[in-house]
Amino acid sequence: MSGSNPVPQPPTEPSGAARAASKPKRPKWLVPVIAGGCAVVLAAGGIGGCLYWNHDRLTAASEECATSYDRAVKARKKLTEYLKSDALQTAIRVKDSEVRDAKTVGTLASTVKTASKTKTDIPGCPADGLKDIKAVTAWLDKTATAYAKTVGEVKGKAEAVNASKLDKTVADATRILNDSKGRVKDDKVRAALENAIKSKDGKAISDAVKAVNDSIKAKSDADANARAEKEKQAADNAAQARPDNSGSYTGDTTGGYTGYTGGGYTQSQGGYAYMPQQSTGGSTGGGYTPTPQPQPAPPPSQGGGGDDGYEDICWAVDTSGKPGVQVPCN
């Protein structure tokens, strides 16, 4: 692992050769003489007193070594259990986008990777040899300390990730709180979100944010429905106010009969002459020309023929339908 605080590694186990070299050659029945103390005992009381004194020191050292061994084993177990814990696994699954400082995520991943490779075998305490017992005891103490420090390192990196995630959660929730003003259906949800932010409880904040978002959607849907209903009502009112022109005829007369002009009586010499009616535009789509009809004779002049200065003119009508012609009445 890079950085100024690397994950501590347990010390190297003392080799068997070093332990063997520390044992002096002596008869099996003779207990080693330690630091001149036994010599004093020999001078004072003989070999029995020396054996008792040396045995007591070996017993104390063995007990101390056994305690150090238990401490090292427990420290290693604690690290193993923490690496598999739900708390750490949850922190490891946090993404860069979920935290305020993305570097905390990378640092945690690197620390866990290094700690997971720590697989140190813990030796048992020697049965005899005061120097060997004390050497193994010192090694076990360092191992226990290293494991405990590694647990602290990993846990600290996980806590940094969780803290950065909470920082982002609070920042995002604060923005939602500010932006949701006047946009929620029930303003109580905004008050709940504000209290959750103050508590800095990640789950409470998450639940409150969801409630605010749901309330925003509810108001948006209600507003949309109200607008749609208002537009529908306006359209209905406009339709009712519009006049009904379904019975009026607005078609053109391009292909129909365009009527005719003329016809009637015109005054002629001695009376009236009937002029047949003529089509004035005919039809572009199947019109007709009226057939001349028999015309009534003009009324007789009064006072005898020609006294009024006009010649009596009569019309001769052909029953075949040809136009009539003017002829003298006499």
Side-chain angles (χ1 to χ4, degrees):
M1 169 184 166
S2 62
S4 59
N5 296 314
V7 175
Q9 299 295 324
T12 305
E13 179 184 357
S15 65
R19 293 167 57 185
S22 65
K23 295 181 180 180
K25 295 180 180 180
R26 60 185 181 276
K28 294 182 179 180
W29 55 267
L30 182 63
V31 179
V33 177
I34 307 299
C38 190
V40 176
V41 175
L42 285 171
I47 295 176
C50 180
L51 291 173
Y52 177 81
W53 177 80
N54 190 58
H55 176 74
D56 185 60
R57 293 192 65 186
L58 287 174
T59 300
S62 296
E63 290 177 353
E64 183 180 354
C65 184
T67 301
S68 298
Y69 175 83
D70 290 342
R71 185 164 57 247
V73 170
K74 289 179 181 179
R76 183 178 64 179
K77 182 180 179 181
K78 187 174 182 180
L79 174 60
T80 301
E81 290 176 347
Y82 183 71
L83 291 175
K84 297 178 180 179
S85 68
D86 292 340
L88 179 60
Q89 295 303 314
T90 299
I92 291 174
R93 288 193 293 268
V94 174
K95 300 177 181 178
D96 293 357
S97 59
E98 298 175 328
V99 296
R100 198 165 191 176
D101 183 4
K103 290 187 293 186
T104 59
V105 175
T107 300
L108 173 62
S110 177
T111 303
V112 170
K113 183 178 180 180
T114 302
S116 299
K117 293 180 179 180
T118 303
K119 296 180 180 179
T120 303
D121 293 332
I122 299 178
C125 295
D128 59 2
L130 185 61
K131 186 176 181 180
D132 288 347
I133 293 174
K134 288 187 174 183
V136 172
T137 300
W139 184 88
L140 291 172
D141 288 340
K142 291 180 180 179
T143 299
T145 300
Y147 275 124
K149 189 173 183 180
T150 300
V151 172
E153 288 285 337
V154 178
K155 185 176 292 186
K157 299 302 185 293
E159 290 174 351
V161 169
N162 293 331
S164 186
K165 181 180 179 181
L166 180 59
D167 288 343
K168 187 175 188 304
T169 298
V170 170
D172 292 345
T174 301
R175 186 180 65 254
I176 292 174
L177 177 65
N178 296 333
D179 293 345
S180 63
K181 186 175 182 180
R183 298 173 55 204
V184 293
K185 192 172 184 180
D186 183 0
D187 206 56
K188 292 181 180 178
V189 296
R190 295 185 67 253
L193 176 57
E194 185 175 9
N195 292 332
I197 292 173
K198 291 178 181 178
S199 71
K200 291 194 173 182
D201 184 329
K203 187 177 184 308
I205 293 174
S206 178
D207 293 342
V209 166
K210 183 179 183 303
V212 169
N213 288 333
D214 290 345
S215 187
I216 291 175
K217 185 178 184 302
K219 186 177 186 303
S220 178
D221 291 345
D223 292 345
N225 291 335
R227 285 193 301 270
E229 183 62 27
K230 185 176 180 180
E231 291 173 359
K232 182 178 180 299
Q233 186 62 43
D236 291 344
N237 293 341
Q240 293 177 1
R242 188 182 302 118
D244 186 5
N245 296 323
S246 60
S248 62
Y249 175 72
T250 58
D252 60 28
T253 57
T254 303
Y257 175 67
T258 57
Y260 59 91
T261 58
Y265 290 94
T266 57
Q267 186 175 8
S268 180
Q269 293 181 1
Y272 292 87
Y274 178 79
M275 300 297 295
Q277 297 174 340
Q278 301 293 331
S279 172
T280 61
S283 169
T284 60
Y288 69 95
T289 301
T291 302
Q293 299 296 323
Q295 304 300 325
S301 59
Q302 301 295 329
D307 291 345
D308 54 1
Y310 292 93
E311 180 181 3
D312 293 334
I313 300 299
C314 295
W315 285 86
V317 178
D318 191 336
T319 59
S320 64
K322 293 181 179 181
V325 296
Q326 295 180 355
V327 297
C329 292
N330 54 4

